[in-house]
Amino acid sequence: ERDEMAKVSVHHGASNAFTGEGMPEPVPAEARSRADSEQADEVEGDDEGQDDDARALYEAQTVEDLKAELRRRPGDLSTSGNKPELVDRLLEDDARQGAAAEQGTTE
């Protein structure tokens, strides 16, 4: 009798009690949560991915190159500080420029 009991799913998805012909196999919870997480990252993390890419590009440059980029930009950006501070300043300016572009204005 006990062997005839249906399996009950613990996750929030559909029950895996029946996987008859034509029915897809249930996706393991680990794979499902990883796929959900990756999909959420793609939707919500688009800007974060771009920030990571920009950070990597800036960090690959020399301090002198970063200072030259800061001098080149409008807004009289400070060129003082260590490399991480210069990179952060450039990323902040990138964000300001992106926000201004979305609003249709330029600074």
Side-chain angles (χ1 to χ4, degrees):
E1 218 178 292
R2 192 171 183 103
D3 291 335
E4 294 175 17
M5 292 179 64
K7 286 177 145 179
V8 177
S9 176
V10 180
H11 60 82
H12 298 300
S15 170
N16 62 356
F18 176 76
T19 56
E21 188 175 324
M23 298 289 293
E25 289 294 319
V27 178
E30 180 182 304
R32 187 174 47 254
S33 64
R34 186 174 52 246
D36 291 346
S37 176
E38 289 170 359
Q39 186 176 16
D41 288 346
E42 289 175 11
V43 173
E44 296 171 6
D46 285 345
D47 291 339
E48 287 178 18
Q50 291 171 354
D51 289 348
D52 290 343
D53 292 344
R55 180 174 294 280
L57 289 172
Y58 289 140
E59 288 175 348
Q61 296 181 26
T62 66
V63 170
E64 285 307 311
D65 290 340
L66 296 172
K67 288 181 178 184
E69 177 64 19
L70 286 163
R71 282 190 290 272
R72 185 189 68 74
R73 294 183 181 203
D76 196 32
L77 299 171
S78 172
T79 58
S80 66
N82 59 27
K83 188 171 184 175
E85 292 171 334
L86 300 176
V87 169
D88 287 344
R89 195 168 298 129
L90 286 165
L91 290 171
E92 288 168 5
D93 189 57
D94 289 347
R96 273 194 300 275
Q97 288 180 13
E102 286 179 11
Q103 293 176 356
T105 61
T106 56
E107 292 185 42

